[in-house]
Amino acid sequence: MDEALLEVKDLQALFRVGKREYPVLHRLSFHVGKRETVCMVGESGCGKSVTTLALMGLLPNNGKVAGGSIRLDGQELTGLSRRDWGALRGRKMGMVFQEPMTALNPLLTVERQLTEGLRLHRGMDKAAARKYAIECLETVGISNPDERMRQFPFQMSGGLRQRVMIAMVLAVEPELFIADEPTTALDVTIQKQVLVLLNRLKKNMDAGILFITHDLGVVAEIADRVVVLYAGYKVEEGPVREVFQNPRHPYTRGLLSCVPNIDDDTAVIRAIPGALPNITEDIPGCRFHPRCQNVMDCCRKTIPEELPCGAPGHFVSCFLEREGSR
Ligand code: SF4
């Protein structure tokens, strides 16, 4: 890994439901280096999006960070005021969402949306901001940028809007890109173009990318490392090739076995039996044990600790990894 850019350590987050608070992230630790793409994977509801919201200081009103540390380029973010966190979002962290209309204002032209960030965060005058905005649109592969600048988001296709959103993030040159399912709503060719673009940005801009997805095909294409989440716990982490070729956690193996194999006519489409617990369910021991085919007595009582396994940088939290258990 290059120098660590984002370091998350023992992060805990809670959501209030009625009068009680429930943990949604359990002592989550991971890092993202400069010029590195880390993919966070898991089923919907496993804690991926909560993690990104916690990193951006955007947890909803019934949520809060209850412990741990988030350091970006050495600066501690937990404890920042909303205002300071907001300023950082513009300058140092940029987020690309699944649905670009979440971030784009339907009432403003692309020019207005792109140049406002440049004037605010980079102190450019109107002409310089306009020139730079056009360059950013070109960088993300948008042809006729002059014409696009005059358009409103609703006049563009989903793929174009996604590129405009990436251009907006790119324009302020953040150190960390957080992309939450940015290609899920796109067709395959546009998806591929967006992935190529993000890869290029990572290399050219010294940026780190945290990419949230449930699509393991996308992970194979873009990740340097993978973090697997289950019910708010990190269950496995490692270099992408290592995790794909030598998955150690039964949940990771389950996720990988769900990917259809087009070379095998006899293959059946699988699913992991059971469902993710909801946050109000109190499951003792390993949270995956009600769905695990390898469950042992100890799994029902104790939470497994993280252990190194396989290649350097590969870690798993599972009792099967204890000496002599495999
Ligand atoms: Fe399965 Fe036990 Fe490992 Fe949990 S700790 S994944 S229940 S074997």
mmCIF file with all atom_site columns, all heavy atoms in Angstrom, residues 83 95 173-174 218 227 229 300:
data_model
loop_
_atom_site.group_PDB
_atom_site.id
_atom_site.type_symbol
_atom_site.label_atom_id
_atom_site.label_alt_id
_atom_site.label_comp_id
_atom_site.label_asym_id
_atom_site.label_entity_id
_atom_site.label_seq_id
_atom_site.pdbx_PDB_ins_code
_atom_site.Cartn_x
_atom_site.Cartn_y
_atom_site.Cartn_z
_atom_site.occupancy
_atom_site.B_iso_or_equiv
_atom_site.pdbx_formal_charge
_atom_site.auth_seq_id
_atom_site.auth_comp_id
_atom_site.auth_asym_id
_atom_site.auth_atom_id
_atom_site.pdbx_PDB_model_num
ATOM 1  N N   . ARG A 1 83  ? -20.152 22.168  10.585  1.00 0.00 ? 83  ARG A N   1
ATOM 2  C CA  . ARG A 1 83  ? -19.633 23.162  9.642   1.00 0.00 ? 83  ARG A CA  1
ATOM 3  C C   . ARG A 1 83  ? -18.251 22.743  9.114   1.00 0.00 ? 83  ARG A C   1
ATOM 4  O O   . ARG A 1 83  ? -17.990 22.762  7.913   1.00 0.00 ? 83  ARG A O   1
ATOM 5  C CB  . ARG A 1 83  ? -19.568 24.502  10.380  1.00 0.00 ? 83  ARG A CB  1
ATOM 6  C CG  . ARG A 1 83  ? -19.331 25.656  9.466   1.00 0.00 ? 83  ARG A CG  1
ATOM 7  C CD  . ARG A 1 83  ? -19.797 26.966  10.101  1.00 0.00 ? 83  ARG A CD  1
ATOM 8  N NE  . ARG A 1 83  ? -19.137 28.048  9.406   1.00 0.00 ? 83  ARG A NE  1
ATOM 9  C CZ  . ARG A 1 83  ? -18.178 28.762  9.948   1.00 0.00 ? 83  ARG A CZ  1
ATOM 10 N NH1 . ARG A 1 83  ? -17.785 28.554  11.170  1.00 0.00 ? 83  ARG A NH1 1
ATOM 11 N NH2 . ARG A 1 83  ? -17.620 29.711  9.220   1.00 0.00 ? 83  ARG A NH2 1
ATOM 12 N N   . MET A 1 95  ? -18.034 12.663  -2.856  1.00 0.00 ? 95  MET A N   1
ATOM 13 C CA  . MET A 1 95  ? -18.843 11.443  -2.876  1.00 0.00 ? 95  MET A CA  1
ATOM 14 C C   . MET A 1 95  ? -19.651 11.347  -4.168  1.00 0.00 ? 95  MET A C   1
ATOM 15 O O   . MET A 1 95  ? -20.272 12.321  -4.592  1.00 0.00 ? 95  MET A O   1
ATOM 16 C CB  . MET A 1 95  ? -19.770 11.441  -1.676  1.00 0.00 ? 95  MET A CB  1
ATOM 17 C CG  . MET A 1 95  ? -20.577 10.187  -1.603  1.00 0.00 ? 95  MET A CG  1
ATOM 18 S SD  . MET A 1 95  ? -20.910 9.714   0.095   1.00 0.00 ? 95  MET A SD  1
ATOM 19 C CE  . MET A 1 95  ? -21.906 8.266   -0.179  1.00 0.00 ? 95  MET A CE  1
ATOM 20 N N   . GLU A 1 173 ? -10.831 18.349  -6.793  1.00 0.00 ? 173 GLU A N   1
ATOM 21 C CA  . GLU A 1 173 ? -9.644  17.519  -6.550  1.00 0.00 ? 173 GLU A CA  1
ATOM 22 C C   . GLU A 1 173 ? -9.577  17.003  -5.110  1.00 0.00 ? 173 GLU A C   1
ATOM 23 O O   . GLU A 1 173 ? -8.642  17.312  -4.376  1.00 0.00 ? 173 GLU A O   1
ATOM 24 C CB  . GLU A 1 173 ? -8.369  18.297  -6.898  1.00 0.00 ? 173 GLU A CB  1
ATOM 25 C CG  . GLU A 1 173 ? -8.309  18.641  -8.355  1.00 0.00 ? 173 GLU A CG  1
ATOM 26 C CD  . GLU A 1 173 ? -6.979  19.257  -8.766  1.00 0.00 ? 173 GLU A CD  1
ATOM 27 O OE1 . GLU A 1 173 ? -6.140  19.497  -7.884  1.00 0.00 ? 173 GLU A OE1 1
ATOM 28 O OE2 . GLU A 1 173 ? -6.796  19.486  -9.967  1.00 0.00 ? 173 GLU A OE2 1
ATOM 29 N N   . PRO A 1 174 ? -10.583 16.220  -4.694  1.00 0.00 ? 174 PRO A N   1
ATOM 30 C CA  . PRO A 1 174 ? -10.536 15.687  -3.328  1.00 0.00 ? 174 PRO A CA  1
ATOM 31 C C   . PRO A 1 174 ? -9.443  14.634  -3.207  1.00 0.00 ? 174 PRO A C   1
ATOM 32 O O   . PRO A 1 174 ? -9.030  14.038  -4.203  1.00 0.00 ? 174 PRO A O   1
ATOM 33 C CB  . PRO A 1 174 ? -11.919 15.052  -3.166  1.00 0.00 ? 174 PRO A CB  1
ATOM 34 C CG  . PRO A 1 174 ? -12.296 14.633  -4.531  1.00 0.00 ? 174 PRO A CG  1
ATOM 35 C CD  . PRO A 1 174 ? -11.703 15.666  -5.459  1.00 0.00 ? 174 PRO A CD  1
ATOM 36 N N   . VAL A 1 218 ? -17.801 -6.052  -10.491 1.00 0.00 ? 218 VAL A N   1
ATOM 37 C CA  . VAL A 1 218 ? -17.203 -4.715  -10.424 1.00 0.00 ? 218 VAL A CA  1
ATOM 38 C C   . VAL A 1 218 ? -15.973 -4.738  -9.515  1.00 0.00 ? 218 VAL A C   1
ATOM 39 O O   . VAL A 1 218 ? -14.931 -4.163  -9.830  1.00 0.00 ? 218 VAL A O   1
ATOM 40 C CB  . VAL A 1 218 ? -18.240 -3.678  -9.910  1.00 0.00 ? 218 VAL A CB  1
ATOM 41 C CG1 . VAL A 1 218 ? -17.596 -2.363  -9.558  1.00 0.00 ? 218 VAL A CG1 1
ATOM 42 C CG2 . VAL A 1 218 ? -19.338 -3.470  -10.949 1.00 0.00 ? 218 VAL A CG2 1
ATOM 43 N N   . VAL A 1 227 ? -12.948 -5.259  1.481   1.00 0.00 ? 227 VAL A N   1
ATOM 44 C CA  . VAL A 1 227 ? -13.396 -5.379  2.876   1.00 0.00 ? 227 VAL A CA  1
ATOM 45 C C   . VAL A 1 227 ? -14.809 -5.966  2.814   1.00 0.00 ? 227 VAL A C   1
ATOM 46 O O   . VAL A 1 227 ? -15.675 -5.423  2.132   1.00 0.00 ? 227 VAL A O   1
ATOM 47 C CB  . VAL A 1 227 ? -13.433 -3.989  3.551   1.00 0.00 ? 227 VAL A CB  1
ATOM 48 C CG1 . VAL A 1 227 ? -14.120 -4.062  4.910   1.00 0.00 ? 227 VAL A CG1 1
ATOM 49 C CG2 . VAL A 1 227 ? -12.023 -3.410  3.689   1.00 0.00 ? 227 VAL A CG2 1
ATOM 50 N N   . LEU A 1 229 ? -18.257 -6.865  4.694   1.00 0.00 ? 229 LEU A N   1
ATOM 51 C CA  . LEU A 1 229 ? -19.034 -6.529  5.903   1.00 0.00 ? 229 LEU A CA  1
ATOM 52 C C   . LEU A 1 229 ? -20.227 -7.461  6.041   1.00 0.00 ? 229 LEU A C   1
ATOM 53 O O   . LEU A 1 229 ? -20.853 -7.815  5.043   1.00 0.00 ? 229 LEU A O   1
ATOM 54 C CB  . LEU A 1 229 ? -19.603 -5.107  5.798   1.00 0.00 ? 229 LEU A CB  1
ATOM 55 C CG  . LEU A 1 229 ? -18.724 -3.888  6.013   1.00 0.00 ? 229 LEU A CG  1
ATOM 56 C CD1 . LEU A 1 229 ? -19.611 -2.674  6.211   1.00 0.00 ? 229 LEU A CD1 1
ATOM 57 C CD2 . LEU A 1 229 ? -17.797 -4.050  7.190   1.00 0.00 ? 229 LEU A CD2 1
ATOM 58 N N   . ARG A 1 300 ? -21.895 -19.675 18.723  1.00 0.00 ? 300 ARG A N   1
ATOM 59 C CA  . ARG A 1 300 ? -23.172 -19.162 19.252  1.00 0.00 ? 300 ARG A CA  1
ATOM 60 C C   . ARG A 1 300 ? -22.974 -18.317 20.499  1.00 0.00 ? 300 ARG A C   1
ATOM 61 O O   . ARG A 1 300 ? -23.878 -17.655 20.959  1.00 0.00 ? 300 ARG A O   1
ATOM 62 C CB  . ARG A 1 300 ? -24.121 -20.321 19.566  1.00 0.00 ? 300 ARG A CB  1
ATOM 63 C CG  . ARG A 1 300 ? -24.495 -21.135 18.343  1.00 0.00 ? 300 ARG A CG  1
ATOM 64 C CD  . ARG A 1 300 ? -25.605 -22.134 18.656  1.00 0.00 ? 300 ARG A CD  1
ATOM 65 N NE  . ARG A 1 300 ? -25.987 -22.843 17.448  1.00 0.00 ? 300 ARG A NE  1
ATOM 66 C CZ  . ARG A 1 300 ? -25.446 -24.005 17.063  1.00 0.00 ? 300 ARG A CZ  1
ATOM 67 N NH1 . ARG A 1 300 ? -24.514 -24.566 17.796  1.00 0.00 ? 300 ARG A NH1 1
ATOM 68 N NH2 . ARG A 1 300 ? -25.849 -24.570 15.937  1.00 0.00 ? 300 ARG A NH2 1
#
